[in-house]
């Protein structure tokens, strides 16, 4: 059973930075998309950022210019650098690996990000 293990969440003051990491417990072949999703309390899980193995990236409008996604596809690892954090960025962040955009894929267990104002 493959697991995605996230790390790097925590409590930070508004304006601060965090770097999230997500790695697969063993090699997953054929992954072409890796992404990060956020779920706030009582809210749906929404895309924050996604990266394709060809290098293309997609960001939610709310994080453009502040967050940067990067990935190591052969190593099955994805990162999210979050700068200039705002209280509305808080939530549980989940990583996802997929073989296509519509693939059910593999999900991490989530890491909590809390931003104090």
């Amino acid at each position: 059973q493959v697991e995605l293990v996230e790390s790097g969440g925590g409590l930070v003051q508004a304006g601060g930075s965090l770097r999230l990491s997500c790695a697969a417990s063993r090699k997953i072949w054929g992954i072409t998309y890796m992404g990060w999703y956020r779920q706030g309390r009582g809210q749906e899980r929404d895309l924050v950022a996604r990266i394709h193995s060809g290098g293309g990236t997609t960001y939610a409008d709310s994080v453009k210019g502040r967050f940067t996604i990067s990935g190591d596809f052969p190593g099955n690892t994805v990162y999210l650098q979050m700068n200039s954090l705002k209280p509305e960025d808080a939530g549980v962040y989940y990583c996802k690996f997929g073989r296509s955009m519509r693939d059910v894929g593999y999900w991490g267990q989530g890491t909590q990000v809390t931003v104090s104002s």
Side-chain angles (χ1 to χ4, degrees):
Q1 186 76 5
V2 175
E3 293 184 346
L4 301 188
V5 181
E6 296 140 338
S7 61
L11 171 64
V12 65
Q13 288 189 331
S17 298
L18 285 174
R19 180 177 169 86
L20 305 183
S21 300
C22 172
S25 59
R26 64 172 177 82
K27 177 68 177 178
I28 309 172
W29 296 97
I31 298 299
T32 60
Y33 285 91
M34 296 192 292
W36 288 94
Y37 292 73
R38 177 178 62 229
Q39 187 165 19
R41 187 172 298 180
Q43 298 178 349
E44 295 185 352
R45 192 176 298 186
D46 293 325
L47 176 70
V48 175
R50 179 173 57 220
I51 185 167
H52 182 262
S53 56
T57 56
T58 301
Y59 292 94
D61 288 343
S62 62
V63 307
K64 286 179 180 177
R66 299 187 297 120
F67 290 13
T68 302
I69 188 170
S70 59
D72 172 8
F73 280 84
N76 285 163
T77 306
V78 66
Y79 306 94
L80 186 68
Q81 178 66 43
M82 305 187 293
N83 299 328
S84 302
L85 281 159
K86 304 175 182 180
E88 52 264 42
D89 294 323
V92 179
Y93 282 70
Y94 298 88
C95 63
K96 179 188 177 185
F97 291 3
R99 294 186 174 91
S100 70
M101 285 182 62
R102 293 183 175 83
D103 187 10
V104 172
Y106 301 85
W107 288 89
Q109 80 287 354
T111 185
Q112 179 73 48
V113 170
T114 304
V115 183
S116 63
S117 56

